[in-house]
Amino acid sequence: MTRTSFVIVVVLVISSFQMMESSPDLANEVKANIQYNAINCRKHSAVITEFGAVGDGKTSNTKAFKEAITKLAPKAADGGVQLIVPPGKWLTGSFNLTSHFTLFIQKDATILASQDESEYPVVAPLPSYGQGRDAAGPTFASLISGTNLTDVVITGNNGTINGQGKYWWGKYRSGGFKNITRPYTLELMFSKDVQISNITIIDSPAWNIHPVYCTNVIVKGVTILAPIDSPNTDGINPDSCTNTLIEDCFVVSGDDCIAVKSGWDQFGIKVGMPTQQLSIRRLTCISPDSAGIALGSEMSGGIKDVRMEDITLLQTQSAIRIKTAVGRGGYVKDIFARRFTMKTMKYVFWMSGAYNQHPASGYDPKAMPEVTNINYRDMTADNVTQPARLDGFTNDPFTKICMSNINIALAAEPKELLWNCTAISGVSSKVTPKPCSLLPETAPVDCAFPVDKIPVESVVLNKCSA
Ligand SMILES: *[C@@H]1O[C@H](CO)[C@@H](O)[C@H](O)[C@H]1NC(C)=O
Ligand SMILES: *[C@@H]1O[C@H](CO)[C@@H](O)[C@H](O)[C@H]1NC(C)=O
Ligand SMILES: *[C@@H]1O[C@H](CO)[C@@H](O)[C@H](O)[C@H]1NC(C)=O
Ligand SMILES: *[C@@H]1O[C@H](CO)[C@@H](O)[C@H](O)[C@H]1NC(C)=O
Ligand SMILES: *[C@@H]1O[C@H](CO)[C@@H](O)[C@H](O)[C@H]1NC(C)=O
Ligand SMILES: *[C@@H]1O[C@H](CO)[C@@H](O)[C@H](O)[C@H]1NC(C)=O
Ligand SMILES: *[C@@H]1O[C@H](CO)[C@@H](O)[C@H](O)[C@H]1NC(C)=O
């Protein structure tokens, strides 16, 4: 394309967005094409251009998003409202959602996260963490946030949220954030009935999706992409949440694809909210330096009743990693995993009792975590360097570990010690290569997997349109 024709195309594209802004017909046309499945449909619809937003990738739309949500809140209270983000690049800083609200990001629409720190309010750290995760101090608010909400849907036909993380990763790596933590992309706190579906998130500054202190959460059909060397770009972090379903997601990231959490040391113990009733299924994950699914390391409120099934992991450091430390308290128990297909893994199973990252000070060295009733079955892995590395605490072993029907094929140059086990106990059945002596082979068994469903698995989504 010549320079002149490029300029003409750009001008045409920009003027078509400007037309949409001023034309109610175009806003109606946008609305006419919206169809999706959601926990609740909405009586009212609006398009972000109706609030003065400009999709040129340069104009800050923070004010437009804030104003849209403030003005739409009364409609949300009257039968619900959906706010549509049409094709274009919509630059914005942090904004808060409201209840009975759907944010619909259309195909070819990108919400572009501002790299201007002043576009993110500084907020108090989470009560169950006591400080930010990057530094002893407060945190930048997440790009899209919500507190105390009911019935929130963030969806689209695979529209994008681009966290523009490069700025934040660079400054973080060079030690530029001494007393503040980077923003996450999507964080909902103390909320219930949450759906995040059919969107793509790329280049998050740190964690991607963080429901914390929530109940009834569905994350479905979400694609998360971040460079495999980007710092702390965890995919989905259910944290002190009850009744969560994560399904049909694809994650490539620089940190754990899924990290299940429940608060950090004395702060998490005090808040005491577990993550429980969690189902993760049909996840595909690539994370060469981290886990497919991590439980912890922040697990001080407890993690229990987690089901994982039909998981594909490629070039991932470990499949399931339990991370904890002296001082965490809490528990990781009643964990069930089956039907994992894995290729090119450093470890398949990893349990680390000495994941010794602590908040600034004051953890209780007598607060010992309990790790028990961990069940893994029906898995195959290929090109594995070391099948398992399992380290409990000598004065507090990890117990009731069960592994059955697992076939692990080794890499060309595997570790000499294939199963490195310390301070654990349990059983195995039909596992190759032969597990360590702390997991003796029993008569054939299938390790447990629950036959019931968690409540959110029975939610039927409604067909909605705008
Ligand atoms: C997501 O999109 C797919 C089509 O790509 C569709 O079948 C599915 O129903 C959508 N899911 C939701 C929750 O909207
Ligand atoms: C979002 O709400 C929180 C209070 O929960 C507030 O501290 C923050 O400033 C709000 N963010 C924006 C962008 O207004
Ligand atoms: C959320 O609800 C709690 C308890 O009612 C209240 O203390 C807090 O101020 C609320 N926060 C926001 C941001 O609405
Ligand atoms: C959504 O977009 C991402 C990024 O372009 C792509 O990798 C993914 O395959 C898309 N998903 C669907 C269901 O089209
Ligand atoms: C962080 O430290 C800088 C430099 O010491 C200071 O200017 C700033 O006010 C501090 N910010 C917070 C939120 O404490
Ligand atoms: C096996 O894994 C190594 C990295 O550990 C990788 O370099 C190699 O390509 C993999 N081989 C196959 C056949 O996938
Ligand atoms: C086994 O694991 C322990 C604890 O992590 C470690 O100290 C030791 O070096 C490992 N041994 C081998 C042979 O890899």
Side-chain angles (χ1 to χ4, degrees), residues 319-320 337-340 342 348-349 374-382 384 387-388 401-409 419 427-435 439 441 445-447:
I320 304 171
R338 67 178 173 190
R339 301 196 300 248
F340 279 46
M342 299 167 267
V348 177
F349 305 116
I374 313 294
N375 300 275
Y376 300 151
R377 64 185 266 193
D378 307 335
M379 301 186 178
T380 60
D382 196 7
V384 170
I401 297 168
C402 181
M403 297 191 189
S404 68
N405 188 29
I406 296 170
N407 249 297
I408 298 171
W419 290 74
V427 296
S428 64
S429 169
K430 292 175 281 175
V431 176
T432 55
K434 189 176 163 32
L439 296 175
E441 169 120 25
V445 291
D446 286 326
C447 302

Side-chain angles (χ1 to χ4, degrees), residues 178-325:
K178 298 243 182 296
N179 53 10
I180 193 159
T181 290
R182 286 167 285 162
Y184 301 150
T185 292
L186 237 169
E187 182 174 69
L188 292 168
M189 276 194 266
F190 298 109
S191 296
K192 65 172 196 216
D193 304 337
V194 172
Q195 173 185 335
I196 299 165
S197 60
N198 283 8
I199 57 168
T200 291
I201 303 179
I202 65 174
D203 294 348
S204 180
W207 299 358
N208 279 269
I209 297 180
H210 186 215
V212 54
Y213 323 123
C214 290
T215 50
N216 312 345
V217 178
I218 297 174
V219 180
K220 181 179 169 69
V222 171
T223 302
I224 295 176
L225 307 173
I228 54 174
D229 61 353
S230 54
N232 312 100
T233 49
D234 297 14
I236 303 163
N237 292 10
D239 193 348
S240 293
C241 289
T242 294
N243 196 26
T244 303
L245 172 63
I246 299 171
E247 64 180 2
D248 302 313
C249 292
F250 179 81
V251 183
V252 181
S253 86
D255 211 317
D256 304 321
C257 288
I258 311 266
V260 183
K261 296 179 183 285
S262 66
W264 208 9
D265 286 2
Q266 69 271 27
F267 303 103
I269 294 171
K270 187 165 173 213
V271 170
M273 284 179 78
T275 288
Q276 57 192 345
Q277 292 182 317
L278 169 63
S279 173
I280 302 166
R281 56 196 190 192
R282 299 187 301 270
L283 166 75
T284 300
C285 158
I286 299 174
S287 181
D289 295 321
S290 294
I293 298 165
L295 307 170
S297 78
E298 306 91 327
M299 41 60 72
S300 301
I303 295 174
K304 70 174 179 208
D305 189 3
V306 179
R307 300 113 184 261
M308 309 166 234
E309 55 189 329
D310 302 306
I311 310 283
T312 302
L313 306 168
L314 308 166
Q315 282 182 58
T316 294
Q317 187 185 40
S318 62
I320 304 171
R321 184 170 182 197
I322 297 175
K323 305 188 231 182
T324 186

Side-chain angles (χ1 to χ4, degrees), residues 1-133:
M1 193 164 16
T2 65
R3 197 187 158 85
T4 320
S5 57
F6 177 76
V7 168
I8 290 168
V9 168
V10 168
V11 166
L12 283 174
V13 167
I14 290 173
S15 54
S16 70
F17 289 134
Q18 283 165 349
M19 257 163 66
M20 191 186 298
E21 211 181 315
S22 51
S23 154
D25 289 352
L26 272 159
N28 284 333
E29 199 180 306
V30 166
K31 290 175 198 168
N33 288 317
I34 306 295
Q35 281 188 334
Y36 60 99
N37 297 326
I39 47 174
N40 285 304
C41 299
R42 310 302 184 195
K43 186 167 153 191
H44 307 281
S45 303
V47 181
I48 190 62
T49 47
E50 294 171 42
F51 304 90
V54 181
D56 63 1
K58 292 195 189 78
T59 309
S60 171
N61 295 300
T62 313
K63 196 165 152 274
F65 276 101
K66 284 187 186 174
E67 200 173 295
I69 286 155
T70 308
K71 287 192 174 157
L72 293 172
K75 287 186 172 177
D78 164 42
V81 68
Q82 51 215 339
L83 176 62
I84 299 160
V85 180
K89 287 191 164 62
W90 310 90
L91 182 67
T92 181
S94 172
F95 61 92
N96 284 322
L97 301 176
T98 189
S99 294
H100 309 293
F101 182 85
T102 296
L103 181 67
F104 189 96
I105 310 169
Q106 275 194 299
K107 185 169 158 49
D108 303 322
T110 297
I111 294 182
L112 208 52
S114 172
Q115 296 179 323
D116 175 351
E117 290 180 18
S118 71
E119 291 264 39
Y120 297 80
V122 175
V123 296
L126 296 170
S128 56
Y129 284 72
Q131 63 170 72
R133 204 58 188 78

